[in-house]
Amino acid sequence: IKFPADLRQWLEIAGFGDLDQQFAIRVDWLNVIDRGQLLGHVVFGQDELGNFYSFDQTSGQIHYICRPGNEYALMSESFTAFLQELLRRDFQIVDWIDDLSVSPYEPDD
């Protein structure tokens, strides 16, 4: 797994764990996506509703993946931008995902 520099730095300083009980980053969730539009992305986090979050190993973009709805959306261009927006929203990630424009996730693509 090739971590974006900002996420790697975060993990070196803060490690894995929870952010305000709304979002969690766990080593157990690290998983390379092997199909669909997010092929090659790495799942690294989960919110309180069980939705996943991935990063692109090349660009560092962060995507939201709705587990029950088979939808996904770009959240930010980087992990740093993701954290800044999460902080701006007072860690209310569920409210943030409600504002996203999602696309159908086709795992067989």
Side-chain angles (χ1 to χ4, degrees):
I1 295 174
K2 181 182 176 199
F3 287 88
D6 54 354
L7 177 54
R8 185 179 61 248
Q9 184 177 19
W10 169 272
L11 292 173
E12 289 171 354
I13 294 169
F16 293 91
D18 297 344
L19 298 175
D20 200 41
Q21 299 180 3
Q22 304 290 314
F23 182 77
I25 301 172
R26 299 272 191 269
V27 69
D28 297 339
W29 295 329
L30 292 177
N31 183 36
V32 178
I33 297 173
D34 63 358
R35 62 181 68 102
Q37 296 96 318
L38 300 178
L39 178 70
H41 280 230
V42 177
V43 173
F44 73 97
Q46 186 173 21
D47 65 29
E48 63 181 324
L49 299 178
N51 299 305
F52 286 128
Y53 297 80
S54 70
F55 63 83
D56 184 312
Q57 294 186 74
T58 304
S59 70
Q61 290 181 330
I62 305 296
H63 282 81
Y64 154 76
I65 306 166
C66 179
R67 286 180 64 194
N70 289 326
E71 299 172 324
Y72 76 107
L74 175 66
M75 292 197 79
S76 66
E77 293 296 326
S78 68
F79 184 70
T80 299
F82 173 79
L83 287 177
Q84 289 170 337
E85 183 65 15
L86 192 58
L87 179 61
R88 189 186 75 74
R89 292 175 176 264
D90 195 31
F91 294 94
Q92 301 302 307
I93 198 162
V94 173
D95 292 342
W96 184 7
I97 62 175
D98 285 344
D99 293 341
L100 294 174
S101 176
V102 297
S103 298
Y105 191 74
E106 306 293 338
D108 297 327
D109 281 357

